[in-house]
Amino acid sequence: MKKWLAIAGPIVSFVLFVAALTILYEKLHHVRIRDIRGALLAIAPWALVAAGALTLADYAALTLYDRLALRFLGQRLRYRDTALASFVGYVFSHNASFAGGGAARFRMFTTLGVSVTDVARLVVFDGVTFWLGFCALLSAGFLLGLFSIPEKLAIAPGLVRGIAGLVGLGVAGYLVVLGIRRGSLTIWGRTLSIPSLRLGLGQVLLSAVDWLLAAAVPYVLLPTSGVSYGYFLGVFLLAQMAGVLSAVPGGLGVVETVAVFLLSDRMDSSTIVGTLLVYRLLYYLGPLVIASGILGGVELAGRRALLRIPGRILGAISSTFVPYVISVLVFLAGLILMVSGSLATDPGRLHRLRMFVPLPAIEISHFLGSILGSGLLILSYGLQRRLRVSFNLILIFLAFGIVALLVKGLGVEEAVVLLLFGAIMIPCRGHFYRKSSLLTQPFSATWTLWTLTAVTCTIWIGLVSFRHIPYSSELWWQFAFNAHAPRSMRATTASVVILLVYALIRLLHPAAPKRIEAPDDMERARIRGLVEACPRSSAHLALLPDKRFSWSPDGKAFVMYAVEGRSWITMGDPIGPEESWSEAIWQFRDLCDGYSGWPVFYQIGRETLSYYTDLGLSFHKLGEEARVELPGFSLEGNARRDFRNMRNKYQRQGYRVEILAAEEVPAHLDAMETISNRWLSLKHAREKRFSLGSFDRDYLSALPAVVVRNDREIIGFSNLWLAGNREECSVDLTRYDPESGHGVMDYLFVELMLWGQRQGYRWFNLGMSPLSGMEARRRAPLWQKVGGLIYRHAEHFYNFKGLNHYKAKFSPEWTPRYLACPRGWQLPTILANLISLISGGASGSLRK
């Protein structure tokens, strides 16, 4: 059901897109491609320059949205530090939602120290600003008679003015509330921060300027006609509103259909279509190429670009979003090749070409160009998944595509665009490092929608181009220099067949299993080998029966995880050689995508965050891990006097600490279980799981243990984790006889640290102290403020401070640990799933 809901939106958008193209096809029944080409050539050079300048002015106005929002949030950031990155973010938002414009701005502002909560408020503020100006212009325009509803819509003028009046009252009411409430508004008992009246007026004015500039771009491209700017502005606003409501990417086809429908009685349809085509190139594609070039320049300049704050911000964005940007460019390159294949070659260029290029070469290059275009559509998604093979193949496809464009019709302009895209790609090679196959990557519904949109556009353009030629089966077999329609038919059909074959291969590819099976004995042997070689002692949690495993494609590293609700939660970083970590993480991400799950990485290290940044996840500090450096550990000096006295006391009373090898543990399990049950009964607790061990006989028998005993019996125990290369040692399940007192565990830990020191281990890991190190500073993120508040005042529910102070007396080094998860509304549910996964009351472990 969830999967169907996820694809319902793209399906509806695609149906609306096809409906819009169908209507537009009928409206253009008398228009031919040469008419549109003539309209394009009729646009004056000064108009192109003016439209370009207006486009830059409008994007400059868009960067002020963030400036206004930051003033509302009380963030004192300089405009020059945010303007360039805001421009990049808005370019991606305008061109393709999957390219991550909103996420780019999220990363930009968090890099500057803005909290996640304030970034969310900024996005809401910008959205309100966007629609305030729209509503103000629409209302004022109809009420003041600046523009009127087109007669074709057959709507009564009184009704239009009434609706416009209600919209205007909404904008005025918003401003009145801002003036009366002065900074806050209480709704249903909840107090919300609201802008000042001055900022509210700034919102309306800025958004209105944005819309006026955006409408002026296509208007200056129109030839001299009887269409006033006021009338055109009304049509533009209605067309844009229809495009937004349709949810079709970029309003493609919908905006054009509404514009042709409302303007065709005042000017030629070919002029309208040609103008809107240039408008899309200038307003959408032009800024996209500029923004992509900026990010490519950041990659090419390397560290030198990071010396200034704007460069640092762009560097933070590029690390995550370069793959998305490049994938959009490659997708556009594929679309250019496919559309070029569906169009007739310019007769003048074809005449010059036929003098030195034989017909078979032209036919093959035309056919091959469309095939390469469909291949680029497929490979572009592999760039989002950072696949090296996609990157390499795309460069080859672009090179052959350039040759095909030149040979088939001297398509110099398209070839230059492809060459530019390739030049932007090359400095970004380092972002594409994965070695997985494209067939194993789950395709998103959004990307599928864009591919269907591209194919439909290509077919539609071919139908419009050759609608005057009656169809016959003989066309498929006509080969001549002037046989444009047959070439278009063959090329378009070939590109569609390539996409259908790829779709069929994916459908026949083995699907993910419905159930995630527990590992068999052979897999457990592989897991154990990697655990014993791992330098992190917590890798031994993989031996617990509650874990499932996702392997890297080379089988050298794995991620251990458990599923709770929709949250697929890993325990720590991957286990295995670090060169296989990235693929292991991506493989787990793909596994989650296949089940519509949320990838959640629990207790990951600060030094490994870059691996998860590439997945577009957000990070939240969980606490700090305490580790004691064993080579420098000593009981000498006044600081360790209490430890010396405690140790001497237990030794005088006949207590001793013993290390049991794994094969010796089964003989003592009954005594250990008695102690464990008494401990749980006294604490009114139950066993926990996932992030720490429970009393499981198979688990305890697989590991060495450390016990405290007197002359008669064992009075306390812990299982022992020994990391590879003697990097660190630690304990997991820690239980003791309640009648022996708390000091017995201090005695065990001190003796174990001294033992680890003699054995040559570097660290003793005391585990994570939850919420430790979270300072509730004024500008700290909300997560950190709440964590610090819980740490200081929630002793009734959990002894956070007590655990932290207990570990602190061993003078450890503290290392932060993090949670990586999808950003957005899922966080509360993820936290609930995480608590449910590890819950079970007191655990008898230092590890949380």
Side-chain angles (χ1 to χ4, degrees), residues 470-792:
Y471 173 79
S472 67
S473 58
E474 287 78 11
L475 288 174
W476 294 97
W477 311 108
Q478 290 182 10
F479 298 91
F481 281 106
N482 62 349
H484 302 297
R487 269 198 296 272
S488 172
M489 290 170 54
R490 290 189 292 267
T492 302
T493 302
S495 63
V496 173
V497 168
I498 292 296
L499 292 170
L500 289 176
V501 168
Y502 177 75
L504 182 62
I505 292 174
R506 288 191 61 86
L507 288 174
L508 296 177
H509 196 267
K514 295 299 181 183
R515 287 189 57 192
I516 305 296
E517 301 293 340
D520 55 24
D521 292 341
M522 184 177 297
E523 185 177 2
R524 286 206 174 275
R526 291 171 58 203
I527 292 168
R528 173 136 196 155
L530 291 174
V531 166
E532 291 175 349
C534 182
R536 302 194 314 275
S537 58
S538 60
H540 289 81
L541 287 169
L543 305 180
L544 286 167
D546 62 353
K547 301 296 189 299
R548 295 297 180 264
F549 304 92
S550 173
W551 290 84
S552 61
D554 60 9
K556 295 180 179 180
F558 67 83
V559 169
M560 56 174 140
Y561 69 94
V563 179
E564 188 74 20
R566 287 188 65 184
S567 301
W568 291 52
I569 304 171
T570 72
M571 183 61 230
D573 294 305
I575 310 299
E578 190 168 354
E579 58 267 21
S580 299
W581 283 15
S582 180
E583 282 296 332
I585 292 170
W586 274 97
Q587 194 77 4
F588 178 72
R589 160 73 179 273
D590 295 343
L591 178 65
C592 296
D593 289 347
Y595 287 86
S596 298
W598 302 326
V600 180
F601 297 88
Y602 179 62
Q603 288 198 30
I604 59 176
R606 178 170 54 189
E607 66 281 359
T608 62
L609 293 183
S610 59
Y611 289 103
Y612 307 96
T613 300
D614 291 348
L615 274 64
L617 303 177
S618 61
F619 304 108
H620 307 278
K621 187 177 180 180
L622 292 170
E624 294 178 318
E625 186 178 69
R627 297 203 304 171
V628 178
E629 191 172 13
L630 293 181
F633 181 75
S634 172
L635 298 183
E636 302 297 329
N638 290 333
R640 300 297 172 89
R641 181 176 56 188
D642 291 341
F643 286 146
R644 287 198 309 272
N645 293 339
M646 173 271 300
R647 185 187 186 214
N648 292 335
K649 168 189 168 184
Y650 278 102
Q651 288 179 343
R652 286 195 303 268
Q653 294 176 359
Y655 290 88
R656 64 184 185 276
V657 173
E658 295 180 1
I659 306 296
L660 303 179
E663 55 270 18
E664 298 177 284
V665 171
H668 299 86
L669 284 177
D670 291 339
M672 292 179 180
E673 186 170 21
T674 299
I675 294 172
S676 177
N677 291 338
R678 291 183 63 188
W679 190 92
L680 289 171
S681 177
L682 178 68
K683 299 290 184 179
H684 304 289
R686 61 185 183 273
E687 298 283 11
K688 286 197 175 184
R689 56 195 178 114
F690 186 66
S691 61
L692 41 87
S694 58
F695 195 94
D696 181 272
R697 286 178 171 262
D698 291 337
Y699 169 62
L700 293 176
S701 299
L703 297 169
V706 54
V707 299
V708 180
R709 66 190 312 159
N710 55 25
D711 294 334
R712 302 185 307 275
E713 59 186 353
I714 294 175
I715 60 171
F717 71 91
S718 291
N719 60 330
L720 188 56
W721 288 348
L722 302 176
N725 298 326
R726 299 186 182 273
E727 178 67 17
E728 69 176 20
C729 58
S730 184
V731 294
D732 178 27
L733 189 69
T734 304
R735 303 281 164 82
Y736 61 93
D737 187 339
E739 295 181 358
S740 63
H742 296 288
V744 69
M745 286 294 99
D746 290 351
Y747 177 48
L748 183 147
F749 291 136
V750 167
E751 290 292 341
L752 190 53
M753 290 179 193
L754 293 173
W755 175 87
Q757 185 183 65
R758 293 192 299 270
Q759 297 298 316
Y761 285 91
R762 184 181 177 191
W763 299 96
F764 184 83
N765 194 320
L766 291 165
M768 188 183 73
S769 183
L771 307 184
S772 173
M774 292 194 177
E775 299 291 338
R777 297 187 179 93
R778 186 171 70 89
R779 293 192 180 276
L782 179 62
W783 170 279
Q784 191 160 318
K785 290 180 179 178
V786 173
L789 187 67
I790 294 173
Y791 176 80
R792 292 190 302 273

Side-chain angles (χ1 to χ4, degrees), residues 418-445:
L418 265 62
L419 184 62
L420 177 61
F421 289 176
I424 294 174
M425 278 184 64
I426 290 174
C428 305
R429 180 183 177 86
H431 290 277
F432 307 97
Y433 48 79
R434 298 185 61 205
K435 300 178 181 178
S436 295
S437 167
L438 185 60
L439 290 175
T440 63
Q441 310 302 309
F443 259 54
S444 67

Side-chain angles (χ1 to χ4, degrees), residues 335-345 366 370 405 408 414:
L335 180 60
I336 288 172
L337 284 170
M338 291 176 63
V339 170
S340 179
S342 68
L343 291 170
T345 305
H366 201 109
S370 292
L405 287 169
K408 82 179 184 66
E414 300 101 312

Side-chain angles (χ1 to χ4, degrees), residues 92-113:
F92 300 151
S93 295
H94 274 51
N95 281 274
S97 59
F98 61 82
R105 289 160 65 218
F106 174 91
R107 182 57 55 83
M108 173 186 74
F109 288 116
T110 52
T111 299
L112 288 170

Side-chain angles (χ1 to χ4, degrees), residues 238-510:
L238 292 175
Q240 291 293 335
M241 183 172 64
V244 171
L245 294 177
S246 71
V248 174
L252 188 64
V254 178
V255 171
E256 285 77 4
T257 299
V258 173
V260 169
F261 179 75
L262 297 179
L263 291 173
S264 58
D265 58 342
R266 295 174 179 250
M267 63 181 66
D268 291 337
S269 297
S270 59
T271 299
I272 302 171
V273 173
T275 298
L276 291 178
L277 177 60
V278 176
Y279 161 70
R280 287 200 176 272
L281 291 175
L282 285 175
Y283 193 81
Y284 293 94
L285 183 59
L288 177 63
V289 173
I290 293 173
S292 303
I294 290 172
L295 290 181
V298 170
E299 294 299 314
L300 189 62
R303 295 184 179 273
R304 288 172 294 173
L306 307 182
L307 296 178
R308 301 179 60 185
I309 290 179
R312 176 166 61 86
I313 298 169
L314 288 171
I317 295 174
S318 69
S319 65
T320 301
F321 297 104
V322 160
Y324 292 88
V325 178
I326 301 301
S327 67
V328 173
L329 294 182
V330 172
F331 189 94
L332 290 175
L335 180 60
I336 288 172
L337 284 170
M338 291 176 63
V339 170
S340 179
S342 68
L343 291 170
T345 305
D346 179 73
R349 296 185 182 188
L350 185 61
H351 177 72
R352 292 193 297 271
L353 196 65
R354 64 189 299 177
M355 292 187 295
F356 56 88
V357 177
L359 177 62
I362 294 177
E363 293 284 355
I364 292 173
S365 62
H366 201 109
F367 189 78
L368 182 62
S370 292
I371 292 177
L372 291 171
S374 60
L376 288 174
L377 295 189
I378 295 170
L379 292 172
S380 61
Y381 187 71
L383 294 183
Q384 275 201 21
R385 315 302 285 192
R386 298 177 182 263
L387 300 185
R388 174 59 62 86
V389 64
S390 292
F391 183 89
N392 293 334
L393 285 175
I394 284 168
L395 290 178
I396 296 173
F397 278 32
L398 287 176
F400 279 101
I402 291 171
V403 174
L405 287 169
L406 295 174
V407 173
K408 82 179 184 66
L410 293 178
V412 177
E413 298 85 354
E414 300 101 312
V416 169
V417 172
L418 265 62
L419 184 62
L420 177 61
F421 289 176
I424 294 174
M425 278 184 64
I426 290 174
C428 305
R429 180 183 177 86
H431 290 277
F432 307 97
Y433 48 79
R434 298 185 61 205
K435 300 178 181 178
S436 295
S437 167
L438 185 60
L439 290 175
T440 63
Q441 310 302 309
F443 259 54
S444 67
T446 304
W447 198 269
T448 303
L449 168 65
W450 276 85
T451 303
L452 290 173
T453 301
V455 173
T456 305
C457 277
T458 303
I459 297 173
W460 184 87
I461 291 172
L463 291 174
V464 172
S465 300
F466 303 106
R467 67 191 310 166
H468 59 286
I469 298 178
Y471 173 79
S472 67
S473 58
E474 287 78 11
L475 288 174
W476 294 97
W477 311 108
Q478 290 182 10
F479 298 91
F481 281 106
N482 62 349
H484 302 297
R487 269 198 296 272
S488 172
M489 290 170 54
R490 290 189 292 267
T492 302
T493 302
S495 63
V496 173
V497 168
I498 292 296
L499 292 170
L500 289 176
V501 168
Y502 177 75
L504 182 62
I505 292 174
R506 288 191 61 86
L507 288 174
L508 296 177
H509 196 267

